[in-house]
Structures are given as C-alpha cells and as structure tokens.
Amino acid sequence: RHFGPDVANLVQTLTKNSDGNYKISKQIDNFKHMLDSINYDIRALLIKLADRMHNMRTLGSMRTDKQMKITSETDYFYAPLANRLGLYEIKSELENLSLRWRSPQEYARIEKKINRYMEQHKDDIESFLQPIRLMLREEGIEARVYARPRSVYALWRKMQNTGQTFKELEHVHQVQIVFPFDEACGLSEKNQCLRIYSMITDFYNERPYSLINYIDQPKENGYQALHVQVMTMMGQWAEVHICTEEMDLNSKRGCISDR
C-alpha cells in the first residue's frame, strides 16, 4: 500500500515460503523461487546477493553452526550465481569470505604468502611492466598497466585441484593491460587488443599455444579479453590480460553494466 506493486513483487520474490509445503526441500525450493524471478526482474537476485554479502561481512556476530550453514550456501549457490551474472568482484569477495570463515588458519597462511610474494617480487614485476608502458606510450596508447595477485580463494582452489604447494604455483599474479577504445583509429576493439598483443610478443617471447581469445568467444558470464603468457627476464612465464576499459567495466559489473 505504501510502496506500490513494484516493491511488493520484489519483496514477495525474496520472501521464503513459510507454509511448510515444499516440493523438494526448503532450501532448494527457495533457490528455485529466486532463480525463476530472473525471467521478469533481475533486481530480486541483485538484492539477494547484496543481502548475502552483508551476511558474510558480519558473520562474526553469528553462532558457529549458523556461520557454517551460511558459508556452505555461499559456496554452493551465491558465489556461482554472482559469477554467472558477471559480478566478478562480488563473486571473489564471497569466495574469499567463505574460505576465511570456514578455514581461517588456511586463509591467513595463504594471504600471508601472497603478500610476501608480491613484496619480494615487486622489483621484478616492475621491470617487466616498465617496457610495456614505454612501448604503449610511444604508440600513443594511454593504458593502465599493472599487476594484481590472484585471490586467496583462487590460489587455494588451484592448490586443492592440482596438489601443488604455494611455491609450485605458476601464476600467483596476473598482468592487466586496460586501455580506452579509440574509435578514431579505425580498428575494432578486438584488433586494438591484437595490436597490443603483437607489440608485447615482439618484445617478450610468447609461450606456445598460450593465446586465448575471450573476445570472440566470451566466457559464460560475458567476460572478454585476450590472454597470453610471455617469458619474463627472470625466466618465468607471466600471464597477461589485454582488454578495453569497457570490457574491464563489464567484467566487474556484468549484468548491471550500462551497455
């Protein structure tokens, strides 16, 4: 009555069934009820993800059994949902928070190793990035060129799946090259990415068969970029991601991007 049918429909979508009549189970029926809403209004899922994010950030105030229930739901449903909707930053934070609450000592151990790795290798990383920045500047391309560590959860999952130790992991960090699309140059977004790829691989040796074209074939969540691995001066393979500013924004905002 106060807020109108639009808000009422959102509230109804997010209200759990309380009559006890479930077709499969309480949890699965509630998940299905939310997913069905995507056919007519994605806002309900976005509200639920925001609610889940708040729950995960304030999990310390809850009982241990409640913490484990919420983290398992987050791993099973909410983080994959955020990923499918293209909400990379939300997906990553949900995964990291889930691991931190479920295995706090393991999380802290990996986080410490990542911080130490980035500190120990900052000079090597900078010596790799600087020639790229110079090449792009000489070609009149004002790009953001930086290195970022992979998330704690991503590295933990990699170690779990491969049986590798942290020292054995090949790509603890990734190099990002993000540039504004230049319509005036007459090249498509893909061809401008390929131009930068060509410049980098002229300077650094490319790992055979390492080029992945996510521009023509985006990931299921809409992510687009060129991925390639090149040899650094320290004799290690570096993973480089090349994309436009719009591609980068879409990878972060996904389904809520203004396209």
Side-chain angles (χ1 to χ4, degrees):
R1 186 166 61 247
H2 287 296
F3 298 101
D6 190 39
V7 173
N9 286 332
L10 289 171
V11 172
Q12 184 178 27
T13 300
L14 293 168
T15 301
K16 294 181 179 179
N17 179 7
S18 59
D19 62 11
N21 296 319
Y22 302 107
K23 294 180 180 179
I24 304 176
S25 71
K26 180 178 179 180
Q27 187 180 58
I28 293 176
D29 278 21
N30 287 330
F31 287 163
K32 185 178 184 303
H33 185 54
M34 277 189 291
L35 289 175
D36 286 344
S37 72
I38 200 171
N39 293 322
Y40 57 87
D41 197 337
I42 201 171
R43 290 178 300 166
L45 292 182
L46 298 177
I47 293 168
K48 189 59 183 177
L49 283 171
D51 178 52
R52 176 54 50 137
M53 180 71 80
H54 178 263
N55 288 341
M56 292 298 292
R57 288 173 175 173
T58 58
L59 213 52
S61 61
M62 300 182 184
R63 302 191 316 266
T64 302
D65 61 323
K66 192 74 171 176
Q67 290 176 355
M68 294 303 102
K69 177 180 181 295
I70 290 175
T71 54
S72 64
E73 287 179 352
T74 300
D75 272 345
Y76 174 77
F77 183 76
Y78 291 101
L81 174 62
N83 182 56
R84 191 57 184 264
L85 295 177
L87 304 172
Y88 175 79
E89 292 181 341
I90 293 176
K91 167 247 186 191
S92 293
E93 185 172 352
L94 287 175
E95 289 175 339
N96 280 337
L97 286 170
S98 179
L99 179 61
R100 192 177 80 182
W101 286 107
R102 190 173 64 251
S103 305
Q105 293 181 339
E106 184 78 354
Y107 183 94
R109 184 177 66 83
I110 297 174
E111 184 178 43
K112 184 177 180 180
K113 288 180 180 292
I114 293 172
N115 292 337
R116 186 187 302 131
Y117 172 93
M118 295 301 291
E119 178 63 27
Q120 290 175 344
H121 293 82
K122 64 180 180 180
D123 292 337
D124 295 337
I125 293 172
E126 187 58 29
S127 68
F128 175 79
L129 299 179
Q130 200 54 36
I132 297 175
R133 295 191 184 110
L134 182 59
M135 283 187 290
L136 296 176
R137 200 174 299 121
E138 289 176 346
E139 292 294 324
I141 302 173
E142 292 299 324
R144 293 186 288 122
V145 181
Y146 60 96
R148 69 177 183 190
R150 296 175 69 184
S151 72
V152 174
Y153 179 88
L155 293 176
W156 171 82
R157 185 178 59 189
K158 183 73 172 178
M159 289 188 287
Q160 294 295 309
N161 291 340
T162 64
Q164 292 177 310
T165 64
F166 185 88
K167 288 184 178 180
E168 293 172 324
L169 292 175
E170 197 168 35
H171 302 297
V172 175
H173 73 277
Q174 300 161 336
V175 173
Q176 304 289 132
I177 301 176
V178 186
F179 65 96
F181 173 55
D182 182 8
E183 294 186 33
C185 78
L187 296 175
S188 66
E189 286 185 297
K190 171 188 171 182
N191 284 333
Q192 288 185 36
C193 288
L194 285 170
R195 179 188 174 199
I196 293 175
Y197 155 79
S198 179
M199 293 163 55
I200 292 171
T201 52
D202 281 346
F203 190 86
Y204 291 112
N205 289 329
E206 178 181 357
R207 190 173 198 169
Y209 312 111
S210 69
L211 177 65
I212 304 177
N213 179 5
Y214 288 122
I215 297 176
D216 288 336
Q217 296 180 321
K219 292 184 179 181
E220 290 180 342
N221 58 13
Y223 172 85
Q224 290 182 295
L226 286 183
H227 289 195
V228 66
Q229 295 179 34
V230 295
M231 179 65 73
T232 70
M233 295 174 181
M234 301 302 295
Q236 297 175 326
W237 295 113
E239 184 173 314
V240 181
H241 299 175
I242 307 167
C243 67
T244 64
E245 291 282 3
E246 184 176 2
M247 291 176 187
D248 183 57
L249 184 63
N250 289 342
S251 74
K252 295 174 181 176
R253 294 187 178 179
C255 63
I256 61 173
S257 292
D258 182 16
R259 305 189 186 201

